[in-house]
Amino acid sequence: MGDLGEMLAQARAHVAQFHPAGFTIGWNVGEAGGQHVFHAHMHVICRFEDEPQTGRGLRDFVLR
């Protein structure tokens, strides 16, 4: 947990070349939360102003 800020900074630097307008962060924790491999990782999804789900969160992004 203490390295979360650094992980996000590294992810942001990695995807900066795509010039996203924002990000959606997903982190599955526990079996009930959808975690199937029990290790720490997060999903960083670049978001762009011209995409169909602009302004909506992870649930809308994944389910549509």
Side-chain angles (χ1 to χ4, degrees):
M1 292 298 281
D3 294 327
L4 180 58
E6 178 61 24
M7 288 171 36
L8 289 172
Q10 287 182 22
R12 186 175 188 164
H14 182 73
V15 300
Q17 63 185 319
F18 303 110
H19 307 287
F23 302 93
T24 296
I25 307 295
W27 196 346
N28 300 342
V29 179
E31 188 172 347
Q35 184 178 19
H36 301 287
V37 178
F38 296 95
H39 66 280
H41 73 273
M42 74 176 78
H43 304 267
V44 179
I45 304 165
C46 294
R47 303 298 300 272
F48 301 91
E49 291 178 357
D50 61 348
E51 68 183 55
Q53 300 299 327
T54 295
R56 297 191 177 182
L58 185 61
R59 183 177 304 262
D60 287 319
F61 181 83
V62 172
L63 296 177
R64 296 199 192 320

